């Protein structure tokens, strides 16, 4: 047997017939190696079998017993319950599965079963609902001898015992062939177990210690491979040719004159980073992080104007149309005194107008194009694109960035990515791992931290009184409504009805305005400027005001049904106030119903720190939800978890970047060999990341 046996098709393995071969393929397992790297989803601890008589309510436990009763029945109307009774000589346990009627064909009286699940009490009897189960039969072959049993993610036509048996056979025969990619140095430095040990123990651990060691090593390996790809990608970008802008004192003076305030030390520092990037012949690839209201737009304006002053076209890309429009308006305001031709290009624009706009962009008759993802659609062609600013809101992944980059002909345009909310550190190592990072870590001067309060139904009138008092003191108030049932129409209705109610019943003596997403852009503008000019005391709005709106005199942000908003949104909304020297207040109305929504509100009460909030948001919702889109460019890890394994991720990242840097410096180093091994071993994966 040799290494190439690992690449052998799984169909040549004993016990894999044509049918099982198809099933395995569906699981993504084609070769012996694929199978070895198909890691368990979880484990059952058979060394810890409990007596049924000793089970405790609420504790997840493992029992072994004999089935003495089986029944399947339907409850009123809609669901099937499959039920077995199990005895182990000490007591009996009732076991139920909901809506899995096929189990009726799986269990039989007198079967011996392992059951693993949470114990509950039903009508004074002990029970488990939907436990993991395994029927112990002769064909299992390892039921009694193995103490920690792997549990795999499988399809219905491949059951655990079958799969385990196949795995056991392949691990016994082939795991010693697994390729060690790490040098002895690295293994020693991190005290890693060898790969052959790790593969064997990830499937059939000798002990929980061995399992933990194996997991750690395999997670590191997975992250390390990924981060190596990131480092290579970053190096490729660095090696690419970009534009070398000239940004002299004259240009800078000109730009600074447009800002009605003195920049913060943080903004200055970030602008120095950007200045250096832009004046280098390498393309800029920078992530700009900063909390809501920290003044990122100003920094973006600097970069845009600097590129335009060099005779280039620029693009600003936002995740939604509303945000694109908002940016467009802000920029127009900033650029009122500069001779810059700005154009808004959205997917929604009428075909004729869009055609004209596209022509302008192609002819170089426009300096700054603001838009959504429509900007990366095939028909947009720039004459001379020098800089792209992406306002990301976590919504675009690596892929989209690559696509946009290709819009410019050789040399490559500079790219500045801004995030509307801070990015959890774990994501800045993965999705954004190929970017240089600049952080604005202070707010413009004269801001007082916003105070945040929950308003329960009982306290609603007190809150209204409070609002009245603020208005009496000359301040203004936002009242925000959530999206109802994902429908803009209902959303609009709720806000409209509420605006009327507030005006007629609660605040008849005050002026209440209404703003929503379905208004034409110039009407939105009109209402906003009316609000700024204090034509209204209270502005009732849908989520349109989430980003970009700036009314320093507003000191109250009242959020209705706060439990329906995500943390990032709540934080954004709160960022709309606290923009002057007056104390500001965020009032969270509504009744949280789930634990998660309760936690969200709790976090809002605890901190104003956007970085902390982002971490919590990611932790609560998980990466998929956090991004809210499938096209997030988030890598899929088999065993590593970017949130829970952050420390390993960080370690792997540092090592991988060091490796790529050092291998570049010295052609003969050991590191170079390692890099070569990794690129050979994981070629298809690396390609995937590198070509975007
Ligand atoms: P972000 O995009 O980071 O949320 P903005 O760029 O919208 O923040 O800036 C928030 C507000 O602060 C805007 O009203 C902006 O004009 C103002 N601002 C930005 N920088 C400064 C500064 N250095 N001094 C005073 N105000 C500033
Ligand atoms: Mg902004």
């Amino acid at each position: 047997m040799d290494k190439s046996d690992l690449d052998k098709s799984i169909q040549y393995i004993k016990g894999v017939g044509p049918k099982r071969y198809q099933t395995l393929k569906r699981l993504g397992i084609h070769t012996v190696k694929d199978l070895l790297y198909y890691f368990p989803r979880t484990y059952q601890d058979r060394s810890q079998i409990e007596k049924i008589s000793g089970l405790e309510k609420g504790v997840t436990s493992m029992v072994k017993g004999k089935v003495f009763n089986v029944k399947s029945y339907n409850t009123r109307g809609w669901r099937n319950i499959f039920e077995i009774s199990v005895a182990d000589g000490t007591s009996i346990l009732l076991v139920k599965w909901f809506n899995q009627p096929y189990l009726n064909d799986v269990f039989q009286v007198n079967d011996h079963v392992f059951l693993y699940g949470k114990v509950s009490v039903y009508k004074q009897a002990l029970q488990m609902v939907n436990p993991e189960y395994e029927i112990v039969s002769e064909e299992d072959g390892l039921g009694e001898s193995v103490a920690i049993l792997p549990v795999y993610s499988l399809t219905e036509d491949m059951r655990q015992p079958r799969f385990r048996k196949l795995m056991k056979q392949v691990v016994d025969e082939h795991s010693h062939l697994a390729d060690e990619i790490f040098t002895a140095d690295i293994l020693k430095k991190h005290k890693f177990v060898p790969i052959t040990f790790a593969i064997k123990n990830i499937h059939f651990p000798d002990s929980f210690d061995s399992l933990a060691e194996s997991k750690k090593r395999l997670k590191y390996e997975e992250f390390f491979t990924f981060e190596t790809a990131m480092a290579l990608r970053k190096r490729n970008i660095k090696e690419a040719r970009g534009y070398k802008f000239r940004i002299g004192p004259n240009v800078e003076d000109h730009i600074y004159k447009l800002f009605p305030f003195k920049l913060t030390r943080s903004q200055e520092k970030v602008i120095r980073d950007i200045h250096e990037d832009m004046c280098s012949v390498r393309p800029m690839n920078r992530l700009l992080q900063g909390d809501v209201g920290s003044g990122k737009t100003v920094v973006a304006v600097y970069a845009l104007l600097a590129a335009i002053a060099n005779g280039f076209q620029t693009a600003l890309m936002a995740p939604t149309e509303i945000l694109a429009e908002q940016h467009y308006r802000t920029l127009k305001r900033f650029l009122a005194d500069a001779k810059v031709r700005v154009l808004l290009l959205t997917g929604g624009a009428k075909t004729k107008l869009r055609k004209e706009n596209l022509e302008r962009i192609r002819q170089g008759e426009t300096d700054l194009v603001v838009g959504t993802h429509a900007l990366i659609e095939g028909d947009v062609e720039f004459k001379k694109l020098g800089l792209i600013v992406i306002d990301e809101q976590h919504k675009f992944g690596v892929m989209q960035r690559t696509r946009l980059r290709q819009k410019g002909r050789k040399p490559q345009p500079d790219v500045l990515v801004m995030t509307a909310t801070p990015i959890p550190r774990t994501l800045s190592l993965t999705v954004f791992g190929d970017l240089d990072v600049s952080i604005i870590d202070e707010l413009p001067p004269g801001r007082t931290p916003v105070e945040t309060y929950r308003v329960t139904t009982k306290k609603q009138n007190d809150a209204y009184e409070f609002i009245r008092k603020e208005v009496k003191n000359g301040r203004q108030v936002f009242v925000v409504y959530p999206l109802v049932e994902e429908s803009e129409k209902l959303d609009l209705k709720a806000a409209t009805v509420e605006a009327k109610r507030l005006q007629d019943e609660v605040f008849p003596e005050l002026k209440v305005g209404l703003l929503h997403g379905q208004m034409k852009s110039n009407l939105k503008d009109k209402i906003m400027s009316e609000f700024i000019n204090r034509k209204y005391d209270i502005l009732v709005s849908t989520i349109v005001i989430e980003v970009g709106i700036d009314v320093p005199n507003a000191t109250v942000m009242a959020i209705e049904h706060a439990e329906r908003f995500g943390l990032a949104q709540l934080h954004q909304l709160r960022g709309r106030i606290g923009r002057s020297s007056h104390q500001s207040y965020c009032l969270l109305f509504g009744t949280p119903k789930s634990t998660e929504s309760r936690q969200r509100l709790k976090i809002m009460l605890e901190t104003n720190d956007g970085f902390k909030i982002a971490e919590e948001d990611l932790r609560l919702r998980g990466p998929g939800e956090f991004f809210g889109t499938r096209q997030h460019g988030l890598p899929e890890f088999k065993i590593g978890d970017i949130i829970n394994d952050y420390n390993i991720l960080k370690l792997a990242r540092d090592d991988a970047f060091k490796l790529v840097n050092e291998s570049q410096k010295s052609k003969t180093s050991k590191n170079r060999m390692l890099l070569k091994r990794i690129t050979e071993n994981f070629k298809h994966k690396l390609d995937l990341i590198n070509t975007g």
Side-chain angles (χ1 to χ4, degrees), residues 260-264 267 290-299 327 330 333-334 418-420 440 443-445 447 547-548 550 552 572 575-576 579:
F261 36 65
K262 191 171 172 304
L263 298 193
T264 62
Q267 284 169 322
D291 208 343
V292 200
S294 61
K296 294 182 291 290
T297 315
V298 175
V299 172
H327 272 309
T330 314
R333 212 173 60 214
F334 264 121
M418 303 194 289
T419 60
I440 305 186
L443 296 178
R447 307 247 177 107
V547 181
D550 197 30
Q572 275 292 331
R576 296 303 108 213
R579 291 172 168 247

mmCIF file of all heavy atoms in Angstrom, residues 260-264 267 290-299 327 330 333-334 418-420 440 443-445 447 547-548 550 552 572 575-576 579, ligand 1:
data_model
loop_
_atom_site.group_PDB
_atom_site.id
_atom_site.type_symbol
_atom_site.label_atom_id
_atom_site.label_comp_id
_atom_site.label_asym_id
_atom_site.label_seq_id
_atom_site.Cartn_x
_atom_site.Cartn_y
_atom_site.Cartn_z
ATOM 1 N N PRO A 260 -16.084 70.730 7.201
ATOM 2 C CA PRO A 260 -16.445 71.840 8.084
ATOM 3 C C PRO A 260 -15.932 71.647 9.512
ATOM 4 O O PRO A 260 -16.388 72.330 10.415
ATOM 5 C CB PRO A 260 -17.971 71.825 8.048
ATOM 6 C CG PRO A 260 -18.328 70.420 7.751
ATOM 7 C CD PRO A 260 -17.230 69.848 6.925
ATOM 8 N N PHE A 261 -15.025 70.708 9.730
ATOM 9 C CA PHE A 261 -14.533 70.488 11.092
ATOM 10 C C PHE A 261 -13.095 69.998 11.029
ATOM 11 O O PHE A 261 -12.585 69.659 9.961
ATOM 12 C CB PHE A 261 -15.398 69.466 11.818
ATOM 13 C CG PHE A 261 -15.904 68.365 10.919
ATOM 14 C CD1 PHE A 261 -15.008 67.477 10.333
ATOM 15 C CD2 PHE A 261 -17.259 68.240 10.621
ATOM 16 C CE1 PHE A 261 -15.457 66.471 9.490
ATOM 17 C CE2 PHE A 261 -17.707 67.235 9.774
ATOM 18 C CZ PHE A 261 -16.806 66.360 9.209
ATOM 19 N N LYS A 262 -12.484 69.970 12.176
ATOM 20 C CA LYS A 262 -11.124 69.456 12.262
ATOM 21 C C LYS A 262 -11.214 67.946 12.400
ATOM 22 O O LYS A 262 -12.014 67.426 13.174
ATOM 23 C CB LYS A 262 -10.450 70.069 13.500
ATOM 24 C CG LYS A 262 -8.968 69.838 13.577
ATOM 25 C CD LYS A 262 -8.384 70.691 14.722
ATOM 26 C CE LYS A 262 -6.926 70.355 14.987
ATOM 27 N NZ LYS A 262 -6.671 68.952 15.290
ATOM 28 N N LEU A 263 -10.403 67.228 11.635
ATOM 29 C CA LEU A 263 -10.472 65.767 11.716
ATOM 30 C C LEU A 263 -9.932 65.280 13.052
ATOM 31 O O LEU A 263 -9.066 65.895 13.652
ATOM 32 C CB LEU A 263 -9.668 65.133 10.580
ATOM 33 C CG LEU A 263 -10.141 65.448 9.162
ATOM 34 C CD1 LEU A 263 -9.474 64.507 8.167
ATOM 35 C CD2 LEU A 263 -11.655 65.334 9.034
ATOM 36 N N THR A 264 -10.458 64.127 13.486
ATOM 37 C CA THR A 264 -9.940 63.551 14.739
ATOM 38 C C THR A 264 -8.572 62.937 14.457
ATOM 39 O O THR A 264 -8.211 62.670 13.314
ATOM 40 C CB THR A 264 -10.869 62.454 15.278
ATOM 41 O OG1 THR A 264 -10.929 61.391 14.318
ATOM 42 C CG2 THR A 264 -12.265 62.992 15.535
ATOM 43 N N GLN A 267 -8.958 59.791 12.535
ATOM 44 C CA GLN A 267 -9.227 59.998 11.106
ATOM 45 C C GLN A 267 -7.938 60.365 10.377
ATOM 46 O O GLN A 267 -7.667 59.872 9.287
ATOM 47 C CB GLN A 267 -10.276 61.107 10.921
ATOM 48 C CG GLN A 267 -11.699 60.666 11.226
ATOM 49 C CD GLN A 267 -12.665 61.848 11.282
ATOM 50 O OE1 GLN A 267 -12.322 62.931 11.772
ATOM 51 N NE2 GLN A 267 -13.880 61.640 10.794
ATOM 52 N N GLY A 290 -14.696 51.247 11.925
ATOM 53 C CA GLY A 290 -14.945 52.304 12.900
ATOM 54 C C GLY A 290 -16.389 52.226 13.319
ATOM 55 O O GLY A 290 -17.250 51.816 12.534
ATOM 56 N N ASP A 291 -16.656 52.611 14.533
ATOM 57 C CA ASP A 291 -18.012 52.523 15.051
ATOM 58 C C ASP A 291 -18.927 53.524 14.330
ATOM 59 O O ASP A 291 -18.447 54.447 13.675
ATOM 60 C CB ASP A 291 -17.985 52.803 16.556
ATOM 61 C CG ASP A 291 -19.127 52.103 17.275
ATOM 62 O OD1 ASP A 291 -20.089 51.691 16.593
ATOM 63 O OD2 ASP A 291 -19.059 51.982 18.501
ATOM 64 N N VAL A 292 -20.222 53.328 14.499
ATOM 65 C CA VAL A 292 -21.190 54.254 13.925
ATOM 66 C C VAL A 292 -20.850 55.672 14.369
ATOM 67 O O VAL A 292 -20.591 55.902 15.544
ATOM 68 C CB VAL A 292 -22.616 53.997 14.466
ATOM 69 C CG1 VAL A 292 -23.641 54.595 13.547
ATOM 70 C CG2 VAL A 292 -22.847 52.551 14.732
ATOM 71 N N GLY A 293 -20.856 56.579 13.423
ATOM 72 C CA GLY A 293 -20.637 57.970 13.792
ATOM 73 C C GLY A 293 -19.188 58.353 14.034
ATOM 74 O O GLY A 293 -18.895 59.471 14.437
ATOM 75 N N SER A 294 -18.280 57.437 13.757
ATOM 76 C CA SER A 294 -16.878 57.762 14.002
ATOM 77 C C SER A 294 -16.284 58.589 12.865
ATOM 78 O O SER A 294 -15.166 59.081 12.956
ATOM 79 C CB SER A 294 -16.063 56.485 14.215
ATOM 80 O OG SER A 294 -16.119 55.671 13.072
ATOM 81 N N GLY A 295 -17.046 58.742 11.783
ATOM 82 C CA GLY A 295 -16.609 59.627 10.705
ATOM 83 C C GLY A 295 -15.865 58.921 9.590
ATOM 84 O O GLY A 295 -14.854 59.417 9.080
ATOM 85 N N LYS A 296 -16.390 57.793 9.151
ATOM 86 C CA LYS A 296 -15.736 57.053 8.076
ATOM 87 C C LYS A 296 -15.961 57.716 6.722
ATOM 88 O O LYS A 296 -15.084 57.706 5.863
ATOM 89 C CB LYS A 296 -16.264 55.612 8.037
ATOM 90 C CG LYS A 296 -15.885 54.812 9.259
ATOM 91 C CD LYS A 296 -16.365 53.377 9.173
ATOM 92 C CE LYS A 296 -17.882 53.243 9.265
ATOM 93 N NZ LYS A 296 -18.419 53.534 10.603
ATOM 94 N N THR A 297 -17.171 58.302 6.574
ATOM 95 C CA THR A 297 -17.495 58.898 5.281
ATOM 96 C C THR A 297 -16.473 59.965 4.888
ATOM 97 O O THR A 297 -16.057 60.038 3.728
ATOM 98 C CB THR A 297 -18.904 59.529 5.328
ATOM 99 O OG1 THR A 297 -19.783 58.609 5.974
ATOM 100 C CG2 THR A 297 -19.413 59.827 3.945
ATOM 101 N N VAL A 298 -16.075 60.750 5.857
ATOM 102 C CA VAL A 298 -15.109 61.803 5.597
ATOM 103 C C VAL A 298 -13.813 61.226 5.021
ATOM 104 O O VAL A 298 -13.232 61.754 4.076
ATOM 105 C CB VAL A 298 -14.783 62.539 6.918
ATOM 106 C CG1 VAL A 298 -13.699 63.561 6.704
ATOM 107 C CG2 VAL A 298 -16.032 63.174 7.480
ATOM 108 N N VAL A 299 -13.407 60.126 5.608
ATOM 109 C CA VAL A 299 -12.184 59.473 5.156
ATOM 110 C C VAL A 299 -12.348 58.972 3.721
ATOM 111 O O VAL A 299 -11.449 59.108 2.886
ATOM 112 C CB VAL A 299 -11.818 58.318 6.118
ATOM 113 C CG1 VAL A 299 -10.660 57.511 5.572
ATOM 114 C CG2 VAL A 299 -11.499 58.879 7.498
ATOM 115 N N HIS A 327 -25.813 57.756 0.530
ATOM 116 C CA HIS A 327 -24.428 58.150 0.268
ATOM 117 C C HIS A 327 -24.364 59.241 -0.792
ATOM 118 O O HIS A 327 -23.602 60.188 -0.691
ATOM 119 C CB HIS A 327 -23.618 56.954 -0.233
ATOM 120 C CG HIS A 327 -23.012 56.149 0.873
ATOM 121 N ND1 HIS A 327 -22.265 56.706 1.876
ATOM 122 C CD2 HIS A 327 -23.026 54.820 1.120
ATOM 123 C CE1 HIS A 327 -21.856 55.753 2.703
ATOM 124 N NE2 HIS A 327 -22.318 54.604 2.258
ATOM 125 N N THR A 330 -25.262 62.514 0.803
ATOM 126 C CA THR A 330 -24.186 62.999 1.687
ATOM 127 C C THR A 330 -23.021 63.528 0.864
ATOM 128 O O THR A 330 -22.477 64.605 1.132
ATOM 129 C CB THR A 330 -23.651 61.851 2.566
ATOM 130 O OG1 THR A 330 -24.736 61.144 3.103
ATOM 131 C CG2 THR A 330 -22.769 62.391 3.675
ATOM 132 N N ARG A 333 -23.586 66.780 -0.747
ATOM 133 C CA ARG A 333 -23.484 67.855 0.222
ATOM 134 C C ARG A 333 -22.017 68.224 0.453
ATOM 135 O O ARG A 333 -21.640 69.383 0.391
ATOM 136 C CB ARG A 333 -24.121 67.398 1.536
ATOM 137 C CG ARG A 333 -24.766 68.517 2.331
ATOM 138 C CD ARG A 333 -25.520 67.969 3.526
ATOM 139 N NE ARG A 333 -24.636 67.252 4.420
ATOM 140 C CZ ARG A 333 -25.002 66.175 5.132
ATOM 141 N NH1 ARG A 333 -26.226 65.709 5.027
ATOM 142 N NH2 ARG A 333 -24.155 65.589 5.929
ATOM 143 N N PHE A 334 -21.205 67.206 0.691
ATOM 144 C CA PHE A 334 -19.789 67.451 0.916
ATOM 145 C C PHE A 334 -19.120 68.104 -0.285
ATOM 146 O O PHE A 334 -18.220 68.927 -0.161
ATOM 147 C CB PHE A 334 -19.055 66.139 1.206
ATOM 148 C CG PHE A 334 -18.878 65.855 2.663
ATOM 149 C CD1 PHE A 334 -19.390 64.700 3.221
ATOM 150 C CD2 PHE A 334 -18.192 66.751 3.479
ATOM 151 C CE1 PHE A 334 -19.232 64.434 4.568
ATOM 152 C CE2 PHE A 334 -18.018 66.492 4.825
ATOM 153 C CZ PHE A 334 -18.543 65.324 5.369
ATOM 154 N N MET A 418 -15.269 49.909 3.576
ATOM 155 C CA MET A 418 -15.698 50.479 4.860
ATOM 156 C C MET A 418 -16.802 49.599 5.400
ATOM 157 O O MET A 418 -17.609 49.085 4.647
ATOM 158 C CB MET A 418 -16.331 51.857 4.683
ATOM 159 C CG MET A 418 -15.497 52.884 4.009
ATOM 160 S SD MET A 418 -16.269 54.496 4.271
ATOM 161 C CE MET A 418 -17.730 54.400 3.256
ATOM 162 N N THR A 419 -16.866 49.455 6.690
ATOM 163 C CA THR A 419 -17.992 48.712 7.236
ATOM 164 C C THR A 419 -18.874 49.662 8.028
ATOM 165 O O THR A 419 -18.398 50.499 8.771
ATOM 166 C CB THR A 419 -17.527 47.593 8.179
ATOM 167 O OG1 THR A 419 -16.816 48.185 9.244
ATOM 168 C CG2 THR A 419 -16.662 46.627 7.452
ATOM 169 N N ALA A 420 -20.188 49.497 7.834
ATOM 170 C CA ALA A 420 -21.140 50.369 8.519
ATOM 171 C C ALA A 420 -21.145 50.095 10.010
ATOM 172 O O ALA A 420 -21.400 50.961 10.815
ATOM 173 C CB ALA A 420 -22.531 50.186 7.946
ATOM 174 N N ILE A 440 -10.707 53.424 13.035
ATOM 175 C CA ILE A 440 -10.992 54.704 13.685
ATOM 176 C C ILE A 440 -11.530 54.362 15.064
ATOM 177 O O ILE A 440 -12.611 53.786 15.186
ATOM 178 C CB ILE A 440 -12.056 55.525 12.924
ATOM 179 C CG1 ILE A 440 -11.627 55.725 11.472
ATOM 180 C CG2 ILE A 440 -12.268 56.871 13.603
ATOM 181 C CD1 ILE A 440 -12.550 56.642 10.692
ATOM 182 N N LEU A 443 -14.532 58.835 18.675
ATOM 183 C CA LEU A 443 -15.634 59.574 18.066
ATOM 184 C C LEU A 443 -15.239 61.040 17.982
ATOM 185 O O LEU A 443 -14.394 61.503 18.740
ATOM 186 C CB LEU A 443 -16.890 59.421 18.926
ATOM 187 C CG LEU A 443 -17.446 58.002 19.043
ATOM 188 C CD1 LEU A 443 -18.666 57.988 19.959
ATOM 189 C CD2 LEU A 443 -17.815 57.441 17.675
ATOM 190 N N PRO A 444 -15.842 61.786 17.051
ATOM 191 C CA PRO A 444 -15.578 63.221 17.006
ATOM 192 C C PRO A 444 -15.848 63.844 18.376
ATOM 193 O O PRO A 444 -16.683 63.330 19.127
ATOM 194 C CB PRO A 444 -16.565 63.736 15.958
ATOM 195 C CG PRO A 444 -16.814 62.573 15.071
ATOM 196 C CD PRO A 444 -16.733 61.373 15.964
ATOM 197 N N PRO A 445 -15.164 64.925 18.681
ATOM 198 C CA PRO A 445 -15.262 65.504 20.017
ATOM 199 C C PRO A 445 -16.662 66.019 20.345
ATOM 200 O O PRO A 445 -17.466 66.290 19.452
ATOM 201 C CB PRO A 445 -14.267 66.662 19.974
ATOM 202 C CG PRO A 445 -14.061 66.959 18.532
ATOM 203 C CD PRO A 445 -14.251 65.672 17.811
ATOM 204 N N ARG A 447 -19.156 64.562 21.975
ATOM 205 C CA ARG A 447 -20.302 63.649 22.037
ATOM 206 C C ARG A 447 -20.418 63.080 23.440
ATOM 207 O O ARG A 447 -19.429 62.691 24.038
ATOM 208 C CB ARG A 447 -20.091 62.471 21.073
ATOM 209 C CG ARG A 447 -19.781 62.888 19.653
ATOM 210 C CD ARG A 447 -20.912 62.502 18.740
ATOM 211 N NE ARG A 447 -20.642 62.969 17.391
ATOM 212 C CZ ARG A 447 -20.306 62.175 16.400
ATOM 213 N NH1 ARG A 447 -20.180 60.888 16.600
ATOM 214 N NH2 ARG A 447 -20.094 62.666 15.207
ATOM 215 N N VAL A 547 -29.150 54.240 8.469
ATOM 216 C CA VAL A 547 -27.784 54.680 8.229
ATOM 217 C C VAL A 547 -27.752 56.060 7.613
ATOM 218 O O VAL A 547 -28.635 56.433 6.847
ATOM 219 C CB VAL A 547 -27.068 53.690 7.282
ATOM 220 C CG1 VAL A 547 -25.628 54.128 7.054
ATOM 221 C CG2 VAL A 547 -27.086 52.307 7.887
ATOM 222 N N GLY A 548 -26.779 56.836 7.968
ATOM 223 C CA GLY A 548 -26.458 58.030 7.207
ATOM 224 C C GLY A 548 -27.201 59.288 7.570
ATOM 225 O O GLY A 548 -26.858 60.359 7.103
ATOM 226 N N ASP A 550 -28.296 62.420 9.722
ATOM 227 C CA ASP A 550 -27.514 63.196 10.660
ATOM 228 C C ASP A 550 -28.305 64.428 11.112
ATOM 229 O O ASP A 550 -28.386 65.412 10.386
ATOM 230 C CB ASP A 550 -26.224 63.615 9.924
ATOM 231 C CG ASP A 550 -25.174 64.061 10.897
ATOM 232 O OD1 ASP A 550 -25.171 63.559 12.035
ATOM 233 O OD2 ASP A 550 -24.365 64.929 10.525
ATOM 234 N N PRO A 552 -28.173 66.479 14.447
ATOM 235 C CA PRO A 552 -27.582 66.612 15.784
ATOM 236 C C PRO A 552 -28.575 67.037 16.860
ATOM 237 O O PRO A 552 -28.405 66.677 18.023
ATOM 238 C CB PRO A 552 -26.505 67.681 15.590
ATOM 239 C CG PRO A 552 -26.163 67.602 14.150
ATOM 240 C CD PRO A 552 -27.428 67.214 13.440
ATOM 241 N N GLN A 572 -26.966 50.691 14.992
ATOM 242 C CA GLN A 572 -26.989 51.722 13.949
ATOM 243 C C GLN A 572 -27.993 52.821 14.284
ATOM 244 O O GLN A 572 -27.716 53.999 14.162
ATOM 245 C CB GLN A 572 -27.384 51.112 12.605
ATOM 246 C CG GLN A 572 -26.246 50.518 11.831
ATOM 247 C CD GLN A 572 -25.293 51.583 11.346
ATOM 248 O OE1 GLN A 572 -25.682 52.725 11.109
ATOM 249 N NE2 GLN A 572 -24.031 51.223 11.222
ATOM 250 N N GLY A 575 -26.937 54.979 16.878
ATOM 251 C CA GLY A 575 -25.875 55.846 16.366
ATOM 252 C C GLY A 575 -26.388 57.118 15.697
ATOM 253 O O GLY A 575 -25.630 58.026 15.394
ATOM 254 N N ARG A 576 -27.704 57.172 15.450
ATOM 255 C CA ARG A 576 -28.282 58.373 14.837
ATOM 256 C C ARG A 576 -28.377 59.520 15.837
ATOM 257 O O ARG A 576 -28.564 60.673 15.444
ATOM 258 C CB ARG A 576 -29.692 58.088 14.283
ATOM 259 C CG ARG A 576 -29.800 57.107 13.167
ATOM 260 C CD ARG A 576 -28.955 57.502 11.999
ATOM 261 N NE ARG A 576 -27.796 56.627 11.867
ATOM 262 C CZ ARG A 576 -26.628 57.007 11.419
ATOM 263 N NH1 ARG A 576 -26.423 58.237 11.062
ATOM 264 N NH2 ARG A 576 -25.631 56.157 11.330
ATOM 265 N N ARG A 579 -25.236 63.022 18.800
ATOM 266 C CA ARG A 579 -24.350 63.700 17.872
ATOM 267 C C ARG A 579 -24.162 65.173 18.217
ATOM 268 O O ARG A 579 -23.733 65.956 17.382
ATOM 269 C CB ARG A 579 -24.893 63.550 16.451
ATOM 270 C CG ARG A 579 -24.783 62.128 15.981
ATOM 271 C CD ARG A 579 -25.474 61.874 14.671
ATOM 272 N NE ARG A 579 -25.061 60.561 14.199
ATOM 273 C CZ ARG A 579 -24.317 60.354 13.129
ATOM 274 N NH1 ARG A 579 -23.916 61.352 12.392
ATOM 275 N NH2 ARG A 579 -23.960 59.135 12.775
HETATM 276 P P1 LIG B 1 -19.844 56.906 10.049
HETATM 277 O O1 LIG B 1 -19.998 56.763 8.581
HETATM 278 O O2 LIG B 1 -18.531 56.389 10.556
HETATM 279 O O3 LIG B 1 -21.007 56.343 10.813
HETATM 280 P P2 LIG B 1 -20.044 59.648 9.456
HETATM 281 O O4 LIG B 1 -18.944 59.741 8.505
HETATM 282 O O5 LIG B 1 -21.440 59.588 8.932
HETATM 283 O O6 LIG B 1 -19.816 58.414 10.418
HETATM 284 O O7 LIG B 1 -19.898 60.833 10.515
HETATM 285 C C1 LIG B 1 -20.800 60.991 11.563
HETATM 286 C C2 LIG B 1 -21.063 62.446 11.816
HETATM 287 O O8 LIG B 1 -19.924 63.054 12.400
HETATM 288 C C3 LIG B 1 -21.356 63.250 10.574
HETATM 289 O O9 LIG B 1 -22.287 64.235 10.929
HETATM 290 C C4 LIG B 1 -20.051 63.885 10.238
HETATM 291 O O10 LIG B 1 -20.232 65.064 9.505
HETATM 292 C C5 LIG B 1 -19.506 64.166 11.621
HETATM 293 N N1 LIG B 1 -18.047 64.188 11.700
HETATM 294 C C6 LIG B 1 -17.190 63.355 11.079
HETATM 295 N N2 LIG B 1 -15.929 63.641 11.423
HETATM 296 C C7 LIG B 1 -15.986 64.687 12.297
HETATM 297 C C8 LIG B 1 -14.993 65.444 13.010
HETATM 298 N N3 LIG B 1 -13.708 65.177 12.897
HETATM 299 N N4 LIG B 1 -15.438 66.423 13.817
HETATM 300 C C9 LIG B 1 -16.747 66.682 13.949
HETATM 301 N N5 LIG B 1 -17.726 66.032 13.295
HETATM 302 C C10 LIG B 1 -17.346 65.034 12.478
#
